């Protein structure tokens, strides 16, 4: 089974700010750093670093080659990424001292995706292959329909949740991996504790993975309901934590691991990702993630006792 992640590639301009800028306010940032990002690219890198073979489909502009470098170094097959005239997509990110962010997107090349390009990419895949997609490119509704018509399974991260997303036939999704705001918007449910059940009722075909920030993540499918707590860490930059979670969860499930283990790996990888700066750059390797888990699972007394024996 092949995995195609068809999604955005962005240049992330990360401005460290004392607080998020308010309406009408002019605020000086303390630092500007530039990182590779984009929900699509981040999720491809997470899949690859988790050990899954993944093809990335998408477009960059004239200034986007560095995004392909990090993807290729991580093991992503970028032969289905094309270069178009103009700018690569970018994101302007405000990052506060507690690691929280606000993101403003400019679509750039991500918004030049045409139906012809989608068809050409999908021709490389067969029934039973998996499409992962987000909502930072043009024509997400056509991508979903054409992939389903070709017999691909679909994992959808419905982010950002806007009008273009709501034009998609969400019943086509086999996996819905989303955060609490997206979950409330798609289920119509205001009580967060009811959202997993409401999503499962509305999208019975889909395995639901709902991330809840510091409250962990919930998996819901059929009669199965699992809760995965977070691994508490000092957050430096939370950008891309959800993408890391998505890539790791899917890689583990497609490897044949049970959902409970996939959630645990995804939570561990996300914890490591928020401990470092940048979205794609801070995604850990599988080896780093397994080592973190092994360390976390030792009894407290062992963890704290670093004296030589
Ligand atoms: O999910 C984080 C990503 O969202 C960033 O890397 C930014 O590019 C935006 O797409």
């Amino acid at each position: 089974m092949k995995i195609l992640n068809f999604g955005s590639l962005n240049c992330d301009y990360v401005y460290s700010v004392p607080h998020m800028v308010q309406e009408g306010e002019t605020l000086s940032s303390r630092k500007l750093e530039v990182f590779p990002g984009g929900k699509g690219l981040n999720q491809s890198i997470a899949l690859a670093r988790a050990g899954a073979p993944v093809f990335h489909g998408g477009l960059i502009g004239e200034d986007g080659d560095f995004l392909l470098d990090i993807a290729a170094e991580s093991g992503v097959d970028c032969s289905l990424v094309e270069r178009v005239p103009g700018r690569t997509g970018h994101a302007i990110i405000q990052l506060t001292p507690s690691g929280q962010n606000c993101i403003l997107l400019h679509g750039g090349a991500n918004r030049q995706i045409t139906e012809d390009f989608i068809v050409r990419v999908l021709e490389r895949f067969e029934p039973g292959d998996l499409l992962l997609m987000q909502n930072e490119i043009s024509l997400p509704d056509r991508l979903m329909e054409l992939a389903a018509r070709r017999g691909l399974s679909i994992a959808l991260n419905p982010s950002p949740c806007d009008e273009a997303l709501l034009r998609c036939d969400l019943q086509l999704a086999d996996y819905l991996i989303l955060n609490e705001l997206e979950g409330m918007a798609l289920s119509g449910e205001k009580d967060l504790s009811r959202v997993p059940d409401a999503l499962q009722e509305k999208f019975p075909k889909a395995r639901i993975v709902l991330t809840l920030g510091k409250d962990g993540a919930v998996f819901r499918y059929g009669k199965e309901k699992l809760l995965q707590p977070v691994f508490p860490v000092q957050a430096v930059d939370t950008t891309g934590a959800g993408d890391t979670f998505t890539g790791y969860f899917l890689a583990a499930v497609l490897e044949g691991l049970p959902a409970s283990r996939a959630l645990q790996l995804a939570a561990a990888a996300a914890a490591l990702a928020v401990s470092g700066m940048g979205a794609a750059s801070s995604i850990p390797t599988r080896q780093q993630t397994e080592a973190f888990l092994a360390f976390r699972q030792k009894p407290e007394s062992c963890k704290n006792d670093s004296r030589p024996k």
Side-chain angles (χ1 to χ4, degrees):
M1 190 201 68
K2 288 191 287 193
I3 305 170
L4 165 65
N5 180 19
F6 204 134
S8 60
L9 301 104
N10 287 341
C11 178
D12 286 354
Y13 296 97
V14 180
Y15 297 84
S16 295
V17 289
H19 59 261
M20 304 299 181
V21 69
Q22 305 295 302
E23 189 176 334
E25 181 184 13
T26 300
L27 182 66
S28 286
S29 64
R30 294 173 173 162
K31 191 164 53 167
L32 166 63
E33 290 168 278
V34 182
F35 293 104
K39 294 188 198 309
L41 178 74
N42 300 338
Q43 292 177 24
S44 280
I45 289 180
L47 276 156
R49 291 190 180 165
V54 55
F55 291 82
H56 192 93
L59 295 178
I60 53 168
E62 290 143 11
D63 51 351
D65 283 4
F66 79 106
L67 300 173
L68 299 190
D69 294 342
I70 182 174
E73 278 160 25
S74 306
V76 179
D77 186 318
C78 295
S79 56
L80 302 174
V81 179
E82 294 186 5
R83 199 173 286 104
V84 290
R87 293 186 69 153
T88 299
H90 72 254
I92 293 173
I93 301 179
Q94 297 179 53
L95 178 67
T96 66
S98 64
Q100 301 308 308
N101 64 46
C102 269
I103 303 181
L104 179 67
L105 287 176
H106 173 73
N110 298 314
R111 297 276 166 201
Q112 292 192 48
I113 284 166
T114 60
E115 187 152 335
D116 278 356
F117 179 57
I118 292 173
V119 169
R120 256 191 298 126
V121 170
L122 288 176
E123 272 168 2
R124 304 280 300 274
F125 297 86
E126 287 150 23
D129 289 342
L130 179 103
L131 167 74
L132 167 62
M133 57 179 285
Q134 313 76 26
N135 181 33
E136 285 188 342
I137 58 170
S138 41
L139 303 179
D141 50 344
R142 294 301 293 146
L143 172 61
M144 211 167 172
E145 281 161 26
L146 292 166
R149 209 180 290 167
R150 206 170 165 80
L152 274 70
S153 305
I154 298 175
L156 173 67
N157 169 224
S159 184
C161 189
D162 61 12
E163 281 167 19
L165 191 271
L166 298 177
R167 282 196 292 274
C168 295
D169 180 357
L170 303 181
Q171 297 295 345
L172 297 175
D174 298 278
Y175 293 88
L176 268 177
I177 307 176
L178 67 184
N179 67 24
E180 62 256 70
L181 292 178
E182 293 150 2
M184 288 200 270
L186 294 190
S187 64
E189 180 62 60
K190 296 203 167 36
D191 175 356
L192 191 53
S193 66
R194 281 270 315 134
V195 169
D197 288 349
L199 285 170
Q200 182 71 118
E201 276 156 31
K202 197 164 174 187
F203 307 107
K205 173 177 140 176
R207 287 161 172 78
I208 309 291
V209 182
L210 182 73
T211 57
L212 301 166
K214 64 177 177 23
D215 293 324
V218 172
F219 173 83
R220 183 78 170 76
Y221 183 59
K223 292 200 165 57
E224 200 176 6
K225 194 169 186 174
L226 304 167
L227 172 67
Q228 172 65 50
V230 290
F231 292 96
V233 288
Q234 183 70 46
V236 172
D237 180 2
T238 55
T239 315
D243 300 329
T244 305
F245 192 100
T246 297
Y248 259 81
F249 176 82
L250 276 179
V253 161
L254 299 175
E255 195 180 304
L257 297 176
S260 55
R261 174 70 177 153
L263 287 173
Q264 191 188 43
L265 276 166
L272 286 168
V274 305
S275 313
M277 280 294 294
S281 331
S282 64
I283 298 170
T285 61
R286 180 68 173 262
Q287 202 184 7
Q288 289 166 332
T289 305
E290 299 275 9
F292 173 85
L293 270 177
F295 178 74
R296 282 297 169 128
Q297 282 160 359
K298 282 185 189 154
E300 276 307 312
S301 54
C302 301
K303 263 193 274 173
N304 296 333
D305 189 358
S306 56
R307 290 168 301 168
K309 302 274 183 308

